[in-house]
C-alpha cells in the first residue's frame, strides 16, 4: 500500500524504517519505530501515531529518497482532480496548481516588464499587472510567510494540535477595541447574559474587559478569566443536563432559553473563552459535538446512553424491564412520536423512537449554539479539524498525557522583538529546553 501511494519507494533498495516525533518544533530527533516480527502492521502504526494524529517519516537506510516534485503529467497524478490555469491555459492537478500559479505569474510579470518599454500600457494591462502582483500572508499556526494563493492549503495541512487551534483563533481577537461587561456576582448567569446581549458598542470579537459591581480593580486578564470560568460553569448547570454515565451532557430542552437567545450567547461565550484564555467547554456529549461540527443529524449515531432526560431514561428502563405487555406505557410511548404497534415484539423499535425523540427535540438548541460558535471562525475550524477540537468540548481522556509536547504546548513565553539579538538568545533557550524535555521523555522520566 505504501509503494502504491508513494511510487518512489519502489526504486529504493537497502530497506527503510519508519520514524516518529512526538510534536513540537526546533531541534528534534526522529525516533525509530521498530517493526514487529512480521513487519509493520495497521494496529502497530495506529498505536504509535496516536490514531493518526502524529506524522510518521519514511527513512531509507542505504539510499537517499528522491524528493524532486513529480511533473504534472506523471502517471501517479492521472486520477487526481485537475483544473485549468487561467494564465497559460494548461491543466494541472489541484494540489500542484497553487505552486504553478505562483511560478506562472512570476514569468508573466517578467514578460510584461520587459515589454513596457516597447508597448504603450493599456487599461487591460494595468488590470492584469494588478492581478499578478504577488501577495503574501502569515500562517496563524507556524507563523511562516506563504504566497496568498497557497496559504489556505498550507494552513489546512499544517501540524495542528489542540493548542495550535487555540492559538489560531486567539490571533483573530480584535485588540484595538474592548467588549466591556459589568456584572454582579449575584446570579451571574442572568446578569451576564443580559449584559452580553445588550452590549452594542463593540463586537464580542474584541478583547473582553470585565468589571464586577462593588469591586475595585482593573481587568488585566484575571477578572476576565474568572468571569469566563463562572459563566461556563453556569451555562453547563443551567443549559445542559447530564446522563447517568457522566460522559457529557445534552442541551436542556427549554423553549424559553431559545426564545431569549441564551444558547447563541452561550456559543459566543464558549468561543471567547477558548480564544482569550478561559477554560474549554468540555462538558458536551460526543454526538452533540459531532452535530456542531457538521450540522447534519443524519450522519450522527445516537444510542440509549445518549438519552440524558430523566423522564425518557425511566421510560426506556420500564420498557426493557417489562415482561407482560406495554399497555400501561402506551400514552407515554405515543407522546414520543412512535406510531407503530405497541407490543413487546416491537420493543427495539419503540426504544429507538424514544432515543430519536429525546435527541431530535434539542436540535434547535444546538443550531442556535452553532451560530454563536461562528465567532473567530471557530465553527469553520471545528468542521476542518473535528478530532483536534474534540477534547475542547467532550470530557474524557483525549491525549491529555503530560509529555514533552504537552508541556511545550502550554508554555507561553514572553519573547523580545522578533529579529533582535535578545530574541535569538531566547529562542535558543527554548530549543535547549525542548531538547531537555525530549531527553527526559525518551528516558522514561516523563
Amino acid at each position: 500500500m505504501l509503494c502504491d501511494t508513494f511510487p518512489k519507494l519502489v526504486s529504493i533498495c537497502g530497506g527503510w524504517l519508519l520514524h516518529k516525533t512526538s510534536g513540537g518544533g526546533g531541534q528534534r530527533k526522529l525516533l525509530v519505530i521498530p517493526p514487529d516480527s512480521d513487519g509493520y502492521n495497521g494496529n502497530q502504526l495506529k498505536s504509535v501515531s496516536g490514531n493518526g494524529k502524529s506524522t510518521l517519516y519514511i527513512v531509507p537506510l542505504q539510499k537517499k529518497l528522491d524528493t524532486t516534485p513529480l511533473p504534472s503529467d506523471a502517471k501517479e497524478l492521472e486520477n487526481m482532480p485537475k483544473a485549468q490555469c487561467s494564465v497559460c491555459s494548461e491543466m494541472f492537478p489541484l494540489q500542484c496548481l497553487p505552486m504553478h500559479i505562483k511560478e506562472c505569474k512570476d514569468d508573466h510579470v517578467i514578460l510584461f516588464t520587459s515589454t513596457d518599454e516597447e508597448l504603450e500600457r493599456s487599461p487591460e494591462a494595468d488590470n492584469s499587472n494588478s492581478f499578478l502582483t504577488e501577495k503574501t500572508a502569515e500562517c496563524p499556526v507556524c507563523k511562516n510567510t506563504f504566497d496568498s494563493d497557497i496559504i489556505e492549503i498550507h494552513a489546512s495541512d499544517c501540524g495542528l494540535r489542540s493548542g495550535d487551534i487555540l492559538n489560531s483563533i486567539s490571533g483573530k481577537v480584535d485588540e484595538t477595541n474592548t467588549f466591556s461587561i459589568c456584572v454582579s456576582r449575584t446570579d451571574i448567569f442572568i446578569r451576564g447574559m443580559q449584559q452580553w446581549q445588550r452590549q452594542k458598542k463593540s463586537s464580542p470579537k474584541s478583547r473582553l474587559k470585565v468589571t464586577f459591581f462593588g469591586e475595585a480593580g482593573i481587568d488585566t486578564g484575571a477578572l476576565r478569566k474568572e468571569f469566563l470560568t463562572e459563566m461556563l460553569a453556569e451555562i453547563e448547570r443551567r443549559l445542559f443536563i447530564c446522563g447517568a454515565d457522566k460522559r457529557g451532557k445534552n442541551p436542556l430542552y427549554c423553549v424559553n432559553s431559545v426564545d431569549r437567545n441564551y444558547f447563541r450567547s452561550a456559543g459566543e461565550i464558549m468561543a471567547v473563552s477558548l480564544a482569550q484564555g478561559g477554560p474549554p467547554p468540555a462538558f458536551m456529549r460526543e454526538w452533540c459535538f459531532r452535530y456542531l461540527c457538521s450540522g447534519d443529524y443524519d450522519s450522527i449515531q445516537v444510542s440509549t446512553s445518549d438519552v440524558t432526560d430523566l423522564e425518557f431514561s425511566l421510560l426506556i428502563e420500564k420498557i426493557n424491564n417489562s415482561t407482560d405487555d406495554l399497555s400501561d406505557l402506551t400514552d407515554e410511548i405515543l407522546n414520543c412520536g412512535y406510531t407503530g404497534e405497541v407490543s413487546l415484539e416491537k420493543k427495539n423499535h419503540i426504544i429507538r423512537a424514544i432515543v430519536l425523540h429525546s435527541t431530535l427535540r434539542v436540535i434547535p438548541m444546538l443550531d442556535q449554539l452553532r451560530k454563536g460558535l461562528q465567532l473567530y471562525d471557530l465553527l469553520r475550524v471545528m468542521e476542518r479539524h473535528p478530532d483536534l477540537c474534540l477534547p475542547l468540548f467532550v470530557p474524557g481522556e483525549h491525549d491529555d498525557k503530560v509529555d514533552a509536547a504537552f508541556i511545550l504546548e502550554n508554555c507561553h513565553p514572553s519573547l523580545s522583538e522578533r529579529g533582535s539579538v535578545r530574541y535569538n538568545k531566547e529562542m535558543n533557550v527554548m530549543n535547549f529546553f525542548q531538547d531537555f524535555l525530549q531527553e527526559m521523555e525518551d528516558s522514561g522520566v516523563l
Side-chain angles (χ1 to χ4, degrees):
M1 291 176 65
L2 284 174
C3 290
D4 292 338
T5 307
F6 306 101
K8 291 183 179 182
L9 288 177
V10 178
S11 60
I12 293 296
C13 299
W16 49 266
L17 289 174
L18 293 177
H19 290 61
K20 72 168 184 175
T21 178
S22 58
Q27 302 176 2
R28 300 301 303 274
K29 295 180 180 179
L30 292 177
L31 306 177
V32 65
I33 304 174
D36 290 340
S37 57
D38 57 344
Y40 292 112
N41 57 70
N43 290 332
Q44 180 191 15
L45 299 184
K46 182 179 180 180
S47 175
V48 300
S49 64
N51 290 333
K53 295 180 181 179
S54 301
T55 302
L56 301 183
Y57 300 85
I58 301 173
V59 182
L61 298 178
Q62 302 182 47
K63 284 192 175 184
K64 290 185 177 181
L65 189 63
D66 181 17
T67 58
T68 56
L70 294 171
S72 59
D73 57 350
K75 181 180 179 181
E76 293 81 2
L77 307 180
E78 287 180 355
N79 297 326
M80 296 177 64
K82 296 180 175 61
Q84 187 180 51
C85 174
S86 60
V87 180
C88 65
S89 300
E90 293 186 18
M91 299 295 293
F92 287 87
L94 293 181
Q95 285 84 342
C96 305
L97 188 58
M99 293 301 298
H100 166 77
I101 292 174
K102 182 179 181 299
E103 297 173 358
C104 194
K105 287 182 180 179
D106 291 340
D107 294 339
H108 282 72
V109 167
I110 296 175
L111 178 62
F112 281 128
T113 304
S114 62
T115 57
D116 277 345
E117 299 177 356
E118 302 173 3
L119 300 176
E120 196 172 343
R121 181 174 294 180
S122 63
E124 291 78 9
D126 290 337
N127 293 335
S128 299
N129 283 333
S130 62
F131 172 76
L132 295 173
T133 302
E134 182 179 356
K135 296 181 180 180
T136 59
E138 185 182 79
C139 174
V141 179
C142 63
K143 302 302 181 183
N144 292 328
T145 302
F146 294 87
D147 188 85
S148 57
D149 295 314
I150 64 173
I151 184 65
E152 291 187 4
I153 296 178
H154 163 77
S156 63
D157 294 330
C158 194
L160 290 173
R161 295 171 64 92
S162 296
D164 299 323
I165 294 289
L166 298 181
N167 292 335
S168 65
I169 64 174
S170 297
K172 298 180 181 180
V173 178
D174 182 6
E175 300 286 354
T176 60
N177 299 308
T178 58
F179 186 74
S180 300
I181 297 292
C182 186
V183 295
S184 171
R185 293 187 183 275
T186 304
D187 200 2
I188 190 174
F189 176 79
I190 299 298
R191 303 299 180 186
M193 284 292 184
Q194 290 175 349
Q195 289 295 314
W196 192 276
Q197 295 174 356
R198 290 175 181 173
Q199 177 61 262
K200 304 297 182 182
K201 295 181 179 179
S202 60
S203 166
K205 290 185 177 181
S206 304
R207 174 65 63 181
L208 178 63
K209 181 180 179 181
V210 178
T211 304
F212 289 100
F213 284 137
E215 298 182 16
I218 300 176
D219 186 9
T220 58
L223 296 180
R224 176 179 66 246
K225 188 172 183 179
E226 183 179 358
F227 168 77
L228 292 173
T229 301
E230 294 185 14
M231 278 299 293
L232 283 182
E234 287 296 306
I235 288 172
E236 178 183 357
R237 185 174 69 88
R238 296 187 181 224
L239 298 183
F240 289 81
I241 181 171
C242 183
D245 57 2
K246 307 296 183 182
R247 292 173 52 191
K249 300 184 177 183
N250 288 340
L252 177 65
Y253 180 73
C254 180
V255 179
N256 289 339
S257 297
V258 175
D259 184 53
R260 296 171 183 173
N261 277 326
Y262 279 172
F263 281 96
R264 178 166 185 168
S265 298
E268 293 178 351
I269 293 173
M270 291 176 184
V272 170
S273 183
L274 291 174
Q276 302 192 30
F283 50 76
M284 300 184 194
R285 295 198 73 86
E286 185 171 348
W287 81 267
C288 296
F289 170 76
R290 298 295 181 186
Y291 180 80
L292 292 176
C293 293
S294 64
D296 181 14
Y297 184 83
D298 293 337
S299 62
I300 306 300
Q301 298 294 328
V302 291
S303 62
T304 55
S305 62
D306 292 315
V307 178
T308 57
D309 190 286
L310 181 59
E311 177 186 355
F312 297 122
S313 297
L314 293 176
L315 179 58
I316 292 175
E317 185 178 355
K318 291 178 182 178
I319 295 173
N320 282 325
N321 296 333
S322 179
T323 57
D324 297 332
D325 58 61
L326 302 176
S327 57
D328 295 340
L329 305 175
T330 301
D331 291 340
E332 297 179 62
I333 293 173
L334 295 180
N335 289 336
C336 294
Y338 178 75
T339 58
E341 178 186 354
V342 179
S343 63
L344 292 177
E345 290 76 14
K346 301 293 183 179
K347 180 184 296 187
N348 292 335
H349 296 282
I350 295 173
I351 292 177
R352 182 60 181 171
I354 298 173
V355 172
L356 293 177
H357 175 72
S358 175
T359 54
L360 277 172
R361 69 175 191 162
V362 299
I363 292 298
M365 292 75 179
L366 292 174
D367 286 335
Q368 199 174 90
L369 199 64
R370 293 185 83 240
K371 294 180 181 178
L373 291 172
Q374 292 177 357
L375 207 63
Y376 309 120
D377 288 334
L378 176 58
L379 190 60
R380 183 180 300 178
V381 175
M382 292 168 60
E383 293 173 353
R384 292 183 177 180
H385 307 282
D387 293 335
L388 290 175
C389 295
L390 179 67
L392 302 176
F393 292 87
V394 180
E397 297 181 1
H398 304 285
D399 195 22
D400 289 336
K401 181 182 178 182
V402 178
D403 54 9
F406 179 86
I407 296 175
L408 288 169
E409 187 177 281
N410 289 274
C411 286
H412 303 285
S414 179
L415 302 176
S416 303
E417 183 180 357
R418 185 184 295 270
S420 63
V421 176
R422 185 182 295 272
Y423 174 83
N424 293 332
K425 291 182 178 180
E426 292 167 348
M427 288 304 300
N428 288 334
V429 172
M430 289 301 299
N431 288 333
F432 284 125
F433 179 57
Q434 187 178 34
D435 293 338
F436 168 72
L437 292 176
Q438 185 60 48
E439 291 176 1
M440 292 183 63
E441 181 179 316
D442 296 340
S443 62
V445 177
L446 283 180

